[in-house]
Amino acid sequence: MKKLLFVLILLIVLPGCSSESNPPDELIDEQTYEQIFMEFAIINQLDKRILEDRSQEELRQLVYEHYDVTEEEFRISHEYYEQNVEEQLERVRDMSDILREERDSLVVIERKYGRVTTPEQADSLRQALRNSE
């Protein structure tokens, strides 16, 4: 989890800060931005054994396709949203809490039903968890 938090903070700090400006035309809505951001945080933490024959870049492209967003639109949106450091830090804290809760829920399910050993089972558990909410 420390790695995940470090990655999230790195994504905020690396591009730097600039003064707030008008939203660009390519700006994706904040909720979609957060969902994509969390998906990327998960992808960045995936063990190579779970990836099997897929690369992290391939998974990122699937995320872009799923949300119907281009890599450039995400980059522009990321730069825009991080301009307000306080709001971005709050977003990252919220996203970190969501990811932690989901991880904890999966741990409970794993303990209840046995250890998850395949990506397909993990995906099924994640979907079941989402459906139960």
Side-chain angles (χ1 to χ4, degrees):
M1 192 41 126
K2 289 180 184 178
K3 277 178 142 179
L4 179 61
L5 189 56
F6 177 74
V7 169
L8 291 173
I9 291 171
L10 243 159
L11 287 172
I12 293 170
V13 174
L14 280 180
C17 303
S18 61
S19 60
E20 192 151 346
S21 60
N22 293 330
D25 293 337
E26 301 87 356
L27 185 69
I28 56 178
D29 67 272
E30 189 173 350
Q31 184 177 7
T32 302
Y33 165 75
E34 290 175 1
Q35 291 295 317
I36 295 170
F37 193 101
M38 286 189 290
E39 296 277 356
F40 289 164
I42 292 168
I43 289 170
N44 289 338
Q45 295 300 309
L46 287 176
D47 188 297
K48 299 288 185 211
R49 293 172 293 176
I50 293 174
L51 290 173
E52 292 179 351
D53 59 344
R54 290 192 161 168
S55 69
Q56 288 179 331
E57 183 56 35
E58 184 180 353
L59 292 176
R60 283 186 204 94
Q61 292 304 318
L62 290 172
V63 170
Y64 289 132
E65 289 172 20
H66 175 78
Y67 290 98
D68 195 27
V69 169
T70 67
E71 187 172 350
E72 181 68 6
E73 289 170 329
F74 180 77
R75 184 192 63 74
I76 289 168
S77 299
H78 181 63
E79 288 175 1
Y80 174 78
Y81 286 124
E82 72 180 358
Q83 286 177 0
N84 186 322
V85 175
E86 288 302 316
E87 286 181 15
Q88 185 70 349
L89 286 172
E90 184 63 31
R91 262 192 293 279
V92 169
R93 280 190 286 268
D94 292 344
M95 289 185 283
S96 181
D97 289 345
I98 291 167
L99 290 170
R100 188 177 305 110
E101 287 173 13
E102 186 167 323
R103 182 207 59 208
D104 292 347
S105 296
L106 286 173
V107 168
V108 168
I109 291 171
E110 285 178 342
R111 287 182 182 148
K112 184 175 181 179
Y113 296 106
R115 188 86 181 136
V116 175
T117 57
T118 68
E120 293 81 20
Q121 289 173 316
D123 288 342
S124 298
L125 285 174
R126 187 172 187 216
Q127 189 61 42
L129 179 63
R130 285 182 177 167
N131 290 340
S132 70
E133 293 176 346

